[in-house]
Amino acid sequence: MELLQAEDLKCHHCGDPCDESIQANDHHFCCYGCRAVYELLDQSNLNQYYSETSKENKSLSELKAERKYAFLDNEDIQKQLLRFKSDDLSVVKWFLPGIHCSSCIYLLEHLPKLDQTVIRSEVNFVKREVTITFDHNQKSLKELAVLLSQLGYAPGISLSSLDKTKKQVSKSNVGTKVAVAGFCFGNAMLMSMPEYLDRNFLLTDDFKTVFNWINFALAFPVVLYAASDYFQKAWKGIRYGNLNIDVPIALGILTLFGRSAYEIISGVGMGYVDSLAGLVFFLLIGKWYQGKTYQALSFDRDFTSYFPVSVTCIVDGKEIQRPLKELKKDDVVVIHNDELIPADGVVVSGRGNIDYSFVTGESKPESRTEGQQVYAGGRQKGTELSITLSQTVNNSELTSLWNTDSFKKKREADLHTWVDKISKYFTLTIIILAITTGVFWWVNDSSLVWNSVSAVLIVACPCALALVLPFAYGHAMRKLGREGLYLKNAEVIESLAKVDTIIFDKTGTLTTTESGINYWGVELDQYDIEILRSALGNSAHPLSRIIYQELPEGIKHPISSFSEETGKGFTAEVNGVKIQIGSASYLNETSRERINESQVFIKVGQKRGYLTLSSSYRKGIFKMLDTLRKNYFLSLLSGDNDAERSRMAPHFDDVYFKQRPIDKLEYIKENEGNHLMVGDGLNDAGALNEASVGIAIAEDIHQFSPACDAILTSKKVTRIPQVLHFSKRVIRIVFIAFGISFLYNIVGLSFAMSGHLTPLISAILMPISSVTVVGFVTLMVAWIGQKFS
């Protein structure tokens, strides 16, 4: 009778796939061990063990994971772990100690393909974290943890001290395995020494046999414990159709162990236990090295590193500006229109109309009233909102929102895509080469089969290749950060290197607004100034914030309605008085064109007027433009009048004035090329997002915007030529490092396939290649960084 396929039957005991060959009491089992356990339970009348699990065909490992993460069904614990929760979606961030290579990233970021209840999955390779957005109506938090555990990435969860747990989990696990492998390696070498040195056959066969069996015993803790992670990750990868780099490593270890077991048991040889233990020892040393280097090379960027971002707090009935890092639990903060909520909290007053697209990717605003929970990362739309913080501010959380998929460019980073494709097919290629090598030596010299095959599987590890981009880009980001340019992600460096067209906004980018404001129009009394200032305080536009700071302080009046049009102006109602502030066209006024002057028109009730803000060009700006024009096509897109056309035209290839935000966006869409847009983070949001790279200029007060790819402090605008040149040189270093990595693999494979490389030497060379590549990248980026300064 033809046996049923594995996918048609599952083991009655453990749930793994099986066939009809092993049966008992009309039940099928995958092995005799599972059948023996079943028979033992049956004889003891303990068959209730199968009453729940057999119906769902759950594997034993899945049942263990469910018991391990049962605490996640507790609602109080869920509240502490979830970053965000709406009616349908939840967002959780977990530390996954098992993340260690590009294959891990590929598998975890494709979770939505494995499970449709997962909406989005993003991996932070450096911190070994994954942020998952999922439908909690279809999958619970516990089920999500079980899914990750089944994939081989069990979450490391600690409610008391997550950071502390990260260090303990990573250090204790790898460190202990390194110690075990090192102990076995040293003793295996000691037991093998007489065999290597005994040329005169002075050692009796009895002693040789004893030493060989001691070696065989030392192999078990190495294979079963020290190397267990490689087997688990390889099996999980194969099970889910992902040939990760652990597959060839696991095959190499099994090859050495199998050959050693055969020789020692049959008495035909001493085996390769010393090489096996040395292989695992040096693999773990390389893994430990990577982990330590990742911890030392921190790519974290929080807002305190960017510029002095602050939030409005209510203290003793007065509003004060307080830096984010100084905010504490129970502080009452005021969130204005288009501002981000800095931390989780509860609404105290006002009505929230909150856009959580930063967190979930869904732009539909959610209404929140007094007493309801709000989450960090939500953007308020409309009137002022006061909340009491229930958590302290986590700046890295806010920074991670800047990197969300919802605001990533449509075009992918070519180098990352290229490396991902190579990593995807690398393992398959190595397995084919190993089989080819084995067949060749089996025909020509069977004594070299095991060594050559193992060496091929070990030496060709893509770890060095996978390390090039994160370390090169990471060091470059740190250097640019010290120079006042803060990148959204590492791929921006690659995009900067490709730029061929640069587009500048004028006001606030090439010019700087000086203090001092003049008012022209119908005179405003004290009450008018108070309600005008109240309305201005709710606007996120840089000019509104400047005017707000310049007006005298007074009583703050409640805002009953507020509507802002980006790049035009806003309309508010304060104490029943309608207030309009914005451009001439927004208020149907006639612009008074003047050189080096910004005009803001206002209407308070029936009183009309306008404010003028004088501006001047930044020092060294024209020298910078002339330098850039030698290598790039320059365009000026300004929303101001064209009174300064004659002054600006000689420094640009294209000059356009009276440009609305939509006009700037259309200009980029209609002109081909790799565009760098340098402008204001709010008015130019569309153009910043459409351009290949968007750089927002940060003054003393700045609004967080997901549209830009980088934030540049205003005092460093003239450093743009150096930034572009630095980016190009970083890419050159990346290609050189790729060459070194490929050269290592080519040379290593040629020696391994020719039978001239032992598994032990291969295991030593693999971490050395990683050290070489990382060292080269680090030194070269530091060297060109010195020239940058």
Side-chain angles (χ1 to χ4, degrees):
M1 181 179 66
E2 182 180 0
L3 295 179
L4 294 176
Q5 298 298 316
E7 59 265 28
D8 297 324
L9 289 176
K10 290 190 176 182
C11 178
H12 183 66
H13 176 71
C14 70
D16 287 341
C18 64
D19 53 36
E20 291 183 315
S21 60
I22 305 176
Q23 300 184 36
N25 297 339
D26 296 326
H27 299 303
H28 303 281
F29 301 90
C30 63
C31 64
Y32 290 102
C34 286
R35 190 180 75 173
V37 174
Y38 165 77
E39 291 173 345
L40 178 64
L41 293 173
D42 183 57
Q43 293 171 6
S44 304
N45 295 319
L46 296 174
N47 282 333
Q48 64 269 22
Y49 170 83
Y50 301 102
S51 60
E52 296 181 0
T53 61
S54 60
K55 294 180 182 179
E56 300 181 3
N57 288 322
K58 294 181 178 179
S59 66
L60 193 60
S61 60
E62 187 173 359
L63 294 172
K64 289 181 179 178
E66 287 187 350
R67 289 194 292 270
K68 178 180 179 180
Y69 296 109
F71 65 93
L72 294 178
D73 284 331
N74 185 293
E75 291 187 4
D76 292 334
I77 293 177
Q78 290 180 15
K79 289 180 181 179
Q80 297 180 61
L81 290 176
L82 291 176
R83 289 179 56 201
F84 171 82
K85 185 175 183 180
S86 64
D87 295 336
D88 300 316
L89 300 179
S90 290
V91 179
V92 66
K93 177 187 284 186
W94 274 330
F95 170 62
L96 305 184
I99 297 177
H100 70 287
C101 69
S102 57
S103 296
C104 302
I105 301 174
Y106 178 84
L107 179 62
L108 289 170
E109 292 198 337
H110 284 76
L111 276 183
K113 292 184 178 180
L114 299 177
D115 193 318
Q116 295 183 351
T117 61
V118 177
I119 310 301
R120 189 175 68 214
S121 179
E122 300 175 34
V123 176
N124 185 323
F125 184 41
V126 175
K127 298 176 68 175
R128 298 184 183 181
E129 291 178 343
V130 62
T131 302
I132 301 175
T133 303
F134 64 101
D135 186 343
H136 57 243
N137 293 323
Q138 300 185 51
K139 182 176 287 294
S140 68
L141 192 62
K142 182 186 77 174
E143 291 171 339
L144 183 63
V146 171
L147 172 63
L148 291 173
S149 180
Q150 288 295 99
L151 289 172
Y153 301 96
I157 303 174
S158 171
L159 300 180
S160 58
S161 177
L162 187 58
D163 292 333
K164 182 178 179 181
T165 302
K166 288 180 187 178
K167 294 180 181 179
Q168 289 176 344
V169 170
S170 178
K171 182 177 179 180
S172 61
N173 193 12
V174 177
T176 303
K177 290 182 177 180
V178 168
V180 170
F183 171 82
C184 294
F185 174 44
N187 283 278
M189 287 290 292
L190 182 64
M191 293 297 104
S192 302
M193 194 70 69
E195 187 76 23
Y196 291 131
L197 300 180
D198 186 22
R199 299 303 183 190
N200 297 318
F201 303 97
L202 299 176
L203 192 67
T204 64
D205 291 338
D206 291 339
F207 276 108
K208 289 182 180 180
T209 302
V210 170
F211 290 158
N212 288 344
W213 279 101
I214 292 175
N215 267 351
F216 190 48
L218 291 171
F220 283 94
V222 174
V223 174
L224 298 180
Y225 176 68
S228 59
D229 286 345
Y230 296 105
F231 294 121
Q232 291 174 5
K233 295 293 173 51
W235 168 244
K236 299 295 183 181
I238 294 172
R239 187 176 179 182
Y240 288 93
N242 179 40
L243 291 176
N244 53 46
I245 63 174
D246 292 307
V247 173
I249 294 175
L251 288 175
I253 294 171
L254 286 176
T255 301
L256 283 174
F257 180 75
R259 179 63 182 180
S260 300
Y262 166 74
E263 290 190 4
I264 294 173
I265 293 173
S266 63
V268 298
M270 60 177 289
Y272 304 92
V273 175
D274 51 344
S275 296
L276 169 63
L279 162 65
V280 175
F281 176 70
F282 286 110
L283 285 174
L284 292 173
I285 287 291
K287 188 176 181 179
W288 171 84
Y289 166 78
Q290 287 186 23
K292 285 295 182 182
T293 309
Y294 284 144
Q295 292 175 17
L297 183 62
S298 176
F299 299 159
D300 294 346
R301 308 171 315 279
D302 60 37
F303 286 173
T304 58
S305 301
Y306 291 0
F307 41 83
V309 174
S310 59
V311 68
T312 304
C313 292
I314 299 178
V315 179
D316 297 329
K318 296 182 179 180
E319 291 189 359
I320 64 170
Q321 292 294 316
R322 179 173 290 174
L324 290 182
K325 63 180 181 180
E326 295 182 7
L327 292 179
K328 302 180 181 63
K329 184 180 178 181
D330 297 327
D331 279 353
V332 178
V333 300
V334 180
I335 308 300
H336 303 105
N337 177 61
D338 223 30
E339 288 184 348
L340 283 182
I341 298 172
D344 296 350
V346 178
V347 177
V348 177
S349 63
R351 173 175 289 275
N353 190 39
I354 303 171
D355 176 4
Y356 282 114
S357 58
F358 275 123
V359 184
T360 65
E362 299 293 332
S363 59
K364 182 180 178 181
E366 296 188 8
S367 178
R368 291 291 182 268
T369 56
E370 186 175 339
Q372 291 186 308
Q373 177 82 22
V374 292
Y375 295 91
R379 186 188 288 278
Q380 168 68 346
K381 297 288 185 180
T383 59
E384 289 182 354
L385 181 68
S386 297
I387 64 172
T388 298
L389 300 183
S390 57
Q391 301 282 345
T392 56
V393 175
N394 187 338
N395 290 329
S396 60
E397 289 285 311
L398 292 179
T399 307
S400 68
L401 297 176
W402 195 23
N403 290 304
T404 184
D405 276 344
S406 306
F407 302 100
K408 286 183 178 177
K409 302 290 187 182
K410 294 180 181 179
R411 61 186 73 184
E412 297 289 338
D414 294 338
L415 292 180
H416 272 277
T417 304
W418 182 60
V419 172
D420 289 341
K421 288 181 179 179
I422 290 177
S423 300
K424 185 176 180 181
Y425 297 106
F426 188 90
T427 298
L428 183 61
T429 303
I430 296 306
I431 292 174
I432 293 173
L433 290 176
I435 294 173
T436 304
T437 302
V439 172
F440 174 82
W441 285 113
W442 183 269
V443 174
N444 293 276
D445 186 354
S446 59
S447 64
L448 295 176
V449 170
W450 300 104
N451 270 350
S452 58
V453 170
S454 301
V456 168
L457 293 173
I458 297 162
V459 75
C461 180
C463 292
L465 182 65
L467 291 174
V468 171
L469 290 181
F471 277 90
Y473 288 174
H475 283 296
M477 289 177 70
R478 295 174 68 189
K479 176 59 183 177
L480 291 174
R482 288 194 291 267
E483 294 296 327
L485 178 67
Y486 304 95
L487 306 183
K488 175 185 285 189
N489 52 53
E491 288 79 5
V492 178
I493 296 173
E494 187 176 334
S495 299
L496 282 169
K498 298 177 182 177
V499 166
D500 52 37
T501 302
I502 305 177
I503 302 167
F504 285 96
D505 174 49
K506 176 177 157 293
T507 304
T509 302
L510 303 180
T511 64
T512 178
T513 303
E514 298 176 348
S515 60
I517 298 175
N518 294 314
Y519 172 72
W520 311 86
V522 179
E523 184 178 356
L524 302 178
D525 57 28
Q526 179 63 31
Y527 178 73
D528 294 330
I529 294 175
E530 287 179 356
I531 60 175
L532 175 63
R533 191 174 190 272
S534 298
L536 285 165
N538 195 48
S539 173
H541 193 281
L543 291 181
S544 296
R545 305 301 299 176
I546 292 172
I547 298 171
Y548 174 83
Q549 295 294 334
E550 291 295 324
L551 292 177
E553 293 187 15
I555 299 173
K556 185 171 183 178
H557 299 273
I559 304 171
S560 54
S561 66
F562 188 92
S563 175
E564 188 167 16
E565 295 185 43
T566 301
K568 296 182 179 180
F570 69 84
T571 300
E573 186 172 326
V574 182
N575 283 354
V577 179
K578 183 178 180 180
I579 296 175
Q580 287 183 290
I581 302 175
S583 63
S585 59
Y586 184 71
L587 274 74
N588 296 319
E589 296 282 0
T590 302
S591 178
R592 285 78 169 169
E593 297 183 356
R594 295 181 182 178
I595 296 177
N596 292 344
E597 186 177 84
S598 297
Q599 298 175 343
V600 178
F601 290 83
I602 66 172
K603 181 180 178 183
V604 181
Q606 298 302 316
K607 299 179 179 179
R608 292 176 175 268
Y610 67 94
L611 296 160
T612 59
L613 295 84
S614 300
S615 61
S616 60
Y617 289 101
R618 299 185 187 276
K619 184 179 180 180
I621 203 71
F622 293 108
K623 181 180 179 181
M624 178 203 72
L625 293 173
D626 292 339
T627 300
L628 288 173
R629 198 177 179 190
K630 295 176 183 178
N631 301 302
Y632 301 92
F633 186 91
L634 297 190
S635 297
L636 177 68
L637 303 180
S638 175
D640 293 343
N641 58 70
D642 60 357
E644 294 191 63
R645 177 180 294 275
S646 59
R647 184 173 185 182
M648 302 304 297
H651 303 282
F652 289 91
D653 298 287
D654 271 345
V655 177
Y656 295 93
F657 288 93
K658 298 182 179 179
Q659 296 292 294
R660 299 170 300 167
I662 188 63
D663 296 327
K664 298 179 182 180
L665 175 61
E666 292 300 323
Y667 177 88
I668 295 176
K669 286 183 176 181
E670 293 172 1
N671 292 273
E672 296 183 357
N674 294 306
H675 301 94
L676 166 61
M677 176 69 196
V678 184
D680 178 79
L682 293 174
N683 286 346
D684 301 323
L688 289 168
N689 189 53
E690 182 65 25
S692 302
V693 184
I695 297 180
I697 303 303
E699 294 285 356
D700 291 336
I701 300 173
H702 192 84
Q703 184 69 13
F704 178 89
S705 174
C708 61
D709 297 293
I711 299 172
L712 178 63
T713 53
S714 57
K715 296 179 181 179
K716 299 287 187 175
V717 172
T718 56
R719 303 285 284 168
I720 290 178
Q722 288 85 345
V723 168
L724 295 173
H725 182 63
F726 177 75
S727 300
K728 291 180 183 293
R729 300 191 72 182
V730 169
I731 299 301
R732 292 195 197 111
I733 291 173
V734 167
F735 278 111
I736 295 173
F738 278 153
I740 295 174
S741 180
F742 278 122
L743 182 63
Y744 161 79
N745 280 287
I746 292 171
V747 174
L749 279 172
S750 63
F751 277 97
M753 295 178 71
S754 64
H756 294 93
L757 198 64
T758 66
L760 179 59
I761 299 301
S762 299
I764 296 173
L765 290 178
M766 194 180 69
I768 288 178
S769 69
S770 299
V771 173
T772 303
V773 170
V774 170
F776 171 79
V777 166
T778 302
L779 292 175
M780 290 301 295
V781 173
W783 179 63
I784 65 172
Q786 290 179 351
K787 292 191 173 184
F788 181 96
S789 301

